[in-house]
Amino acid sequence: MTGLTADVVVVGAGLIGLATAWRLAADGIQVTVCDPTPGTQTSTVAAGMLAPVTEVEYGEDDLLALNLASVAAWPSFAAELQDAAGVPAGLHQTGTLAVAYDVDDAAALRRLADYQRRLGLEVEELSGRESRQREPMLAQGVSGGVWVPGDHSVDNRQAVTALLRAVEVSGVTLIRERVARVITSGTTAVGVQLENGDSIHAGQVIGAAGPWSGQLDGVPQELRPPVRPVKGEVLRLRVPEAYRPALTHTVRATARGFSVYLVPRPGGELVVGATSTELGYDTRVLAGGVFALLRDARTVLPITDELELVEAIAGLRPATPDNAPVLGPSGLDGLLWATGHYRNGVLLTPITAQIIAETVRTGVLPELGKPFLAGRFTAR
Amino acid sequence: MTGLTADVVVVGAGLIGLATAWRLAADGIQVTVCDPTPGTQTSTVAAGMLAPVTEVEYGEDDLLALNLASVAAWPSFAAELQDAAGVPAGLHQTGTLAVAYDVDDAAALRRLADYQRRLGLEVEELSGRESRQREPMLAQGVSGGVWVPGDHSVDNRQAVTALLRAVEVSGVTLIRERVARVITSGTTAVGVQLENGDSIHAGQVIGAAGPWSGQLDGVPQELRPPVRPVKGEVLRLRVPEAYRPALTHTVRATARGFSVYLVPRPGGELVVGATSTELGYDTRVLAGGVFALLRDARTVLPITDELELVEAIAGLRPATPDNAPVLGPSGLDGLLWATGHYRNGVLLTPITAQIIAETVRTGVLPELGKPFLAGRFTAR
């Protein structure tokens, strides 16, 4: 098995790595993806919100532009993926309702709506009553809302399944092994060595290992991206037939200062997320995390108490110092990054795959990707 | 396979059925136990408190006497079981600390302590500070406690495992099939028919099917015990090494009017229970149940937030109109009940097995069992 070759080898088979591999294969490029457990980590835990508007943060304009481009790219990406895979890609274009509970929550939501309008984003402020007209099961205590018609959601587990099928049918080689190190020749990456000792030689290596991307041996220390794991706990609830649909849109709530989101899926699943904890590579589900999610969910959606708790799971977001991803040239020839997507991995899957595929094809990082070069962290 | 025989056939392989079968086999009696899934229902979900004193209810004097007899029987029962099975029976004689959180909780606990003393039970009232001296991780807000040296706990999963081994080595036949009906001849039960069509003829049938005991076809409707399922949700948490032991005694708390108990196990498990819901034969774990348990546990034991949530599970208690079990002659010759143990199944396992075995041997229900005849429900 030793001495395999490929045009491109992708390290990591989460949504980002798989989508990039699929896009490259569509261009006729021979791609190998390596991951000990494809599609089982962060990509499977996520709730799948596509919320560039609802979750906009003050001063992150470049990231907002990237996020908006990606939410715009999702419908055609999903349609093509569905065609290629023969199974649903999981996109649900339902819009998102941001709601506030108490007076302080409402004030914060109004300030955010002002900012969203100044940015030219499409938002509509609602009273508590108007919010409940859109989502009748919301608590009486919900005091106001903002309707965001362009923020949607993706069933990320369906997307993972579809991408695994799509890469298979498009001729991508998937190797279920961990990459031990990147192989270099001088200042150029020329492939990877697997934990089983095999090596794969490739003209291009793509680092898409999410929170593990900073640990790739063979990459000089100073060129490794400053990606750290931020744990998020997520619950999956089941709405009994009698109460369906408990929600018809994604609900993003601020309840007594705490943030929670509730993402309904067709079929009765309701995903509740997410905590945020910096505890290293620890994916234990803690009682305090589950408590906080349930407390906030039931504050805004009292019927939560009557829903079955089907799953409590934790994943690791790949966070960076400025909350934005790391895309494109790494400083080591032959190695591109597609990592550091933090809270926006599902959202940024189509645009990341497109940017990286174009970079491989043309040798030039597209304009949209330029603010996200790894070099920005060492430059300052 | 059709046409099996036994001296005694036991319907149900929970703790009660298994312990009774084991006791009978020790007397040289040939026993067959039938259960589609031995030891997997309520007996596995329970937290395993042995709390006749801590959980005494006003006016349940006969039940208290039975409970006290059984907690006294546990040590020798456990020792014999351990000998027979070669694995631990799970008894932990650690004592129990009942604690109160706010002023109302403290007042209720004091009233209960007065009642316990009037009954001659051994209890010691403690201040909040004294309670924290015994359990240093209790919340500062714990305002008082009652130390109950005679209330203990059993790792019910270990007890189930031990009993399954013990019945095997003592020659009991375990058939993994559901009993479809009791076979009668005139007004006498003479065996059971299994769902697979096989029948087992036996001189004595023992109904130990917990919450399903009222559904035994073949038993005349008016003789079926009024047992109903009361769902209880239980959490299993894991204490990380750094925080062990989070607790060293069983803690029974009243927190802002809500009851919760926390049962520590050697090895870092902490069992938190239990909700109480009347929803029929429904074992879904509801979000509201998990929320309530976490809310109350973290109120009295703040470190709860930092513990891993390993399992959330629900079981069905076999409840009766007066909260006491149904023991002994059923009104149908040849059929004895050993069911309806509600919240006290683990506690009452030794005394129930002893009472039923003696009844089979002598034909006479011992004095201690007489208040618990099924006939008490039809008589009034």
Side-chain angles (χ1 to χ4, degrees):
Chain A
M1 280 276 291
T2 172
L4 302 166
T5 62
D7 295 332
V8 175
V9 62
V10 179
V11 183
L15 283 170
I16 299 289
L18 290 170
T20 302
W22 176 53
R23 282 314 200 191
L24 289 167
D27 291 341
I29 293 169
Q30 196 197 331
V31 186
T32 294
V33 183
C34 307
D35 192 316
T37 55
T40 60
Q41 302 290 331
T42 318
S43 299
T44 285
V45 177
M49 285 205 299
L50 308 182
V53 177
T54 321
E55 302 211 329
V56 66
E57 296 277 344
Y58 299 99
E60 295 183 351
D61 297 358
D62 289 331
L63 181 56
L64 175 62
L66 190 72
N67 286 346
L68 288 172
S70 205
V71 80
W74 251 106
S76 62
F77 177 85
E80 284 176 60
L81 177 56
Q82 202 150 321
D83 272 359
V87 294
L91 176 64
H92 301 298
Q93 296 176 276
T94 58
T96 292
L97 180 63
V99 299
Y101 193 74
D102 67 20
V103 176
D104 290 340
D105 300 331
L109 188 62
R110 264 196 311 276
R111 281 195 302 276
L112 186 64
D114 288 344
Y115 180 62
Q116 288 162 333
R117 263 192 304 263
R118 282 206 305 280
L119 293 170
L121 301 172
E122 189 182 354
V123 298
E124 180 189 348
E125 282 189 80
L126 306 177
S127 66
R129 174 187 296 239
E130 288 164 336
S131 300
R132 280 185 294 280
Q133 277 166 356
R134 285 187 196 254
E135 287 294 358
M137 288 206 183
L138 286 177
Q140 284 301 313
V142 165
S143 59
V146 171
W147 169 242
V148 184
D151 278 2
H152 302 304
S153 72
V154 167
D155 183 332
N156 43 297
R157 293 180 174 185
Q158 287 191 331
V160 166
T161 301
L163 276 168
L164 285 168
R165 294 276 281 272
V167 298
E168 191 187 339
V169 301
S170 60
V172 170
T173 302
L174 184 59
I175 297 181
R176 290 168 190 269
E177 275 289 332
R178 211 180 75 85
V179 168
R181 52 186 289 272
V182 172
I183 305 168
T184 52
S185 168
T187 59
T188 302
V190 296
V192 299
Q193 185 167 39
L194 303 179
E195 219 159 46
N196 68 4
D198 290 351
S199 54
I200 305 168
H201 287 272
Q204 184 73 60
V205 177
I206 297 172
W212 296 274
S213 298
Q215 300 179 333
L216 270 180
D217 281 351
V219 179
Q221 201 68 44
E222 68 278 12
L223 296 182
R224 295 188 189 182
V227 175
R228 70 184 195 282
V230 176
K231 178 162 81 168
E233 282 136 337
V234 169
L235 309 178
R236 282 178 164 76
L237 309 179
R238 176 150 294 282
V239 183
E241 297 271 2
Y243 301 137
R244 284 189 205 168
L247 292 178
T248 52
H249 316 93
T250 297
V251 169
R252 180 79 162 86
T254 315
R256 301 192 178 102
F258 298 107
S259 280
V260 68
Y261 51 78
L262 303 102
V263 185
R265 310 263 196 241
E269 187 175 85
L270 183 67
V271 186
V272 178
T275 59
S276 199
T277 320
E278 310 236 1
L279 275 177
Y281 293 88
D282 170 2
T283 54
R284 290 176 307 145
V285 172
L286 296 191
V290 174
F291 172 77
L293 292 173
L294 292 174
R295 175 196 62 201
D296 300 336
R298 68 196 290 280
T299 298
V300 294
L301 187 74
I303 195 80
T304 296
D305 277 354
E306 307 304 324
L307 310 186
E308 184 180 0
L309 176 61
V310 173
E311 183 183 53
I313 191 170
L316 301 172
R317 305 178 189 89
T320 66
D322 61 3
N323 301 334
V326 179
L327 303 177
S330 63
L332 185 68
D333 290 342
L335 175 65
L336 297 176
W337 293 124
T339 189
H341 291 79
Y342 191 36
R343 313 179 67 242
N344 298 311
V346 179
L347 168 59
L348 289 174
T349 292
I351 202 74
T352 300
Q354 184 182 312
I355 286 172
I356 300 300
E358 188 175 332
T359 306
V360 170
R361 208 166 48 232
T362 65
V364 180
L365 180 69
E367 207 55 40
L368 194 59
K370 287 194 175 149
F372 306 106
L373 280 160
R376 72 187 189 274
F377 298 116
T378 45
R380 54 185 184 182
Chain B
M1 283 277 291
T2 174
L4 303 166
T5 62
D7 294 333
V8 174
V9 62
V10 178
V11 183
L15 283 170
I16 299 290
L18 289 170
T20 303
W22 176 54
R23 283 312 198 191
L24 289 167
D27 292 341
I29 293 169
Q30 195 199 331
V31 186
T32 294
V33 183
C34 307
D35 192 316
T37 55
T40 61
Q41 302 291 330
T42 317
S43 299
T44 285
V45 177
M49 286 205 299
L50 307 183
V53 178
T54 322
E55 302 211 328
V56 67
E57 297 277 344
Y58 299 100
E60 294 183 351
D61 298 357
D62 289 332
L63 180 57
L64 175 62
L66 189 72
N67 286 345
L68 288 172
S70 204
V71 81
W74 252 106
S76 63
F77 177 85
E80 283 177 61
L81 177 56
Q82 202 150 320
D83 272 357
V87 294
L91 176 63
H92 301 298
Q93 294 176 277
T94 58
T96 292
L97 181 62
V99 299
Y101 193 74
D102 67 20
V103 176
D104 290 341
D105 299 332
L109 188 62
R110 264 197 311 275
R111 280 194 303 276
L112 186 63
D114 287 344
Y115 181 62
Q116 288 162 334
R117 263 191 304 263
R118 281 204 307 278
L119 292 170
L121 302 172
E122 189 183 352
V123 297
E124 178 189 347
E125 282 190 80
L126 305 177
S127 67
R129 174 186 296 239
E130 288 165 336
S131 300
R132 279 185 295 279
Q133 276 165 357
R134 284 185 197 256
E135 287 293 358
M137 288 206 182
L138 286 177
Q140 284 302 314
V142 165
S143 58
V146 171
W147 170 242
V148 184
D151 277 3
H152 303 304
S153 72
V154 167
D155 183 333
N156 44 297
R157 292 181 175 184
Q158 286 191 332
V160 166
T161 301
L163 277 168
L164 285 168
R165 294 275 280 273
V167 298
E168 192 186 340
V169 300
S170 60
V172 170
T173 302
L174 184 59
I175 297 181
R176 292 169 188 268
E177 275 288 330
R178 211 179 76 86
V179 167
R181 50 188 290 274
V182 171
I183 304 168
T184 52
S185 169
T187 59
T188 302
V190 295
V192 300
Q193 184 167 38
L194 304 178
E195 219 159 46
N196 67 5
D198 289 353
S199 54
I200 305 167
H201 287 270
Q204 185 72 61
V205 177
I206 296 173
W212 295 274
S213 299
Q215 299 180 334
L216 271 180
D217 281 351
V219 179
Q221 201 68 46
E222 68 277 12
L223 296 182
R224 297 189 188 179
V227 175
R228 69 185 196 283
V230 176
K231 178 163 80 171
E233 281 136 338
V234 168
L235 309 178
R236 281 178 165 77
L237 308 180
R238 175 150 295 280
V239 183
E241 297 271 3
Y243 302 137
R244 286 188 204 171
L247 292 178
T248 51
H249 315 94
T250 297
V251 170
R252 181 79 161 87
T254 315
R256 302 194 177 101
F258 298 106
S259 280
V260 68
Y261 51 78
L262 301 101
V263 185
R265 309 263 197 243
E269 187 175 84
L270 183 68
V271 186
V272 178
T275 59
S276 199
T277 320
E278 310 236 1
L279 275 175
Y281 293 89
D282 170 3
T283 54
R284 290 175 306 142
V285 172
L286 296 191
V290 174
F291 172 77
L293 293 174
L294 291 174
R295 175 196 61 201
D296 301 335
R298 68 195 289 280
T299 297
V300 294
L301 187 74
I303 196 81
T304 298
D305 277 355
E306 308 304 323
L307 310 186
E308 184 180 1
L309 176 62
V310 174
E311 183 182 54
I313 192 170
L316 300 171
R317 305 177 190 89
T320 65
D322 61 4
N323 301 333
V326 179
L327 303 178
S330 63
L332 185 67
D333 289 343
L335 175 65
L336 297 175
W337 294 124
T339 190
H341 291 79
Y342 190 35
R343 313 179 66 242
N344 299 311
V346 179
L347 167 59
L348 290 174
T349 292
I351 202 72
T352 300
Q354 183 182 314
I355 286 172
I356 300 300
E358 187 174 334
T359 308
V360 170
R361 208 166 46 232
T362 64
V364 179
L365 181 67
E367 207 56 38
L368 194 59
K370 287 195 173 148
F372 306 107
L373 280 161
R376 72 188 188 273
F377 298 117
T378 44
R380 54 183 184 186

